[in-house]
């Protein structure tokens, strides 16, 4: 009985709503086809990832961005971007970096609580990683793509997540 009720509520919703937002053109088309949704009231808002910014760049652009961040062109850059917290596992990246060769750098983009950020600072000092961890702090969204473009690897050591936008951006 749940399925017919869900279908009926979806049909009713698209009929009475002032506007309907869908995550893809296909789901919008299905709503128009199966629920007789008014196409003029239906809008598509996809993942929100700008595929023209979050894309591979030329070697020259990459090298320039690396120089701007004071990253050696031959370093291997591991990127983490997002909120820094216990659940996100940022401290695990710092601890793991200590086990990697010296040409591996960790680029941290984002911020966290004052206590957690102090924990990261203490761990960086404890493992003598001051020259290998690059912390750029909170970055305006229009500039975040640069971090992905200079990185060799994106990591997200969270203990749990849904499908965060940052994963789509990294692809």
């Amino acid at each position: 009985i749940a399925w017919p009720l869900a279908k009926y509520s979806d049909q009713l919703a698209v009929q009475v709503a002032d506007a309907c937002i869908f995550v893809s053109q296909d789901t919008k088309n299905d709503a128009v086809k199966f629920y007789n949704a008014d196409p003029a009231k239906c809008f598509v808002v996809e993942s929100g990832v700008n595929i023209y910014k979050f894309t591979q760049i030329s070697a020259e652009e990459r090298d320039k961005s690396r120089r701007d961040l004071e990253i050696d062109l031959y370093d291997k850059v591991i990127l983490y971007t997002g909120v820094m917290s216990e659940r996100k596992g940022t401290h695990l990246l710092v601890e793991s970096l200590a086990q990697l060769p010296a040409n591996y750098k960790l680029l941290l983009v984002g911020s966290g609580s004052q206590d957690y950020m102090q924990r990261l600072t203490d761990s960086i000092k404890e493992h003598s990683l001051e020259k290998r961890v690059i912390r750029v702090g909170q970055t305006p969204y229009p500039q975040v793509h640069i971090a992905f473009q200079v990185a060799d690897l994106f990591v997200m050591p969270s203990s749990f997540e849904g499908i965060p936008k940052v994963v789509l951006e990294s692809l």
Side-chain angles (χ1 to χ4, degrees):
I1 192 162
W3 171 249
L5 287 176
K7 185 175 177 182
Y8 176 71
S9 71
D10 288 348
Q11 287 173 326
L12 186 60
V14 297
Q15 297 304 315
V16 300
D18 292 331
C20 298
I21 299 173
F22 299 93
V23 296
S24 71
Q25 188 63 46
D26 288 340
T27 56
K28 174 186 169 182
N29 292 345
D30 285 348
V32 170
K33 180 178 177 181
F34 297 115
Y35 298 139
N36 297 317
D38 179 357
K41 296 189 327 181
C42 296
F43 304 93
V44 176
V45 178
E46 298 205 21
S47 70
V49 175
N50 183 332
I51 61 171
Y52 300 106
K53 282 192 174 239
F54 289 88
T55 188
Q56 208 168 17
I57 56 174
S58 70
E60 293 81 21
E61 288 178 286
R62 182 175 187 260
D63 292 350
K64 182 196 176 306
S65 293
R66 278 183 166 226
R67 280 191 298 273
D68 291 346
L69 290 168
E70 298 178 5
I71 299 171
D72 188 278
L73 302 180
Y74 300 103
D75 285 339
K76 297 295 181 192
V77 178
I78 302 167
L79 170 65
Y80 171 82
T81 180
V83 173
M84 296 184 203
S85 67
E86 182 79 26
R87 181 180 68 80
K88 296 285 190 169
T90 318
H91 60 285
L92 299 173
L93 296 176
V94 172
E95 294 166 14
S96 298
L97 183 65
Q99 305 302 314
L100 294 173
N103 67 317
Y104 281 79
K105 305 290 192 275
L106 177 59
L107 177 57
L108 299 176
V109 179
S111 62
S113 72
Q114 187 174 359
D115 289 344
Y116 191 78
M117 297 308 284
Q118 185 60 52
R119 178 179 173 189
L120 290 180
T121 298
D122 293 345
S123 184
I124 290 166
K125 287 180 183 174
E126 177 186 335
H127 293 94
S128 302
L129 297 172
E130 295 89 346
K131 294 184 180 189
R132 295 178 57 199
V133 178
I134 303 149
R135 299 196 301 185
V136 298
Q138 193 64 36
T139 303
Y141 187 72
Q143 297 172 340
V144 169
H145 68 282
I146 296 167
F148 287 95
Q149 293 167 341
V150 301
D152 295 294
L153 176 70
F154 169 76
V155 293
M156 186 171 197
S158 291
S159 55
F160 62 91
E161 291 289 337
I163 300 180
K165 187 172 165 179
V166 71
V167 171
L168 299 174
E169 292 165 343
S170 71
L171 294 174

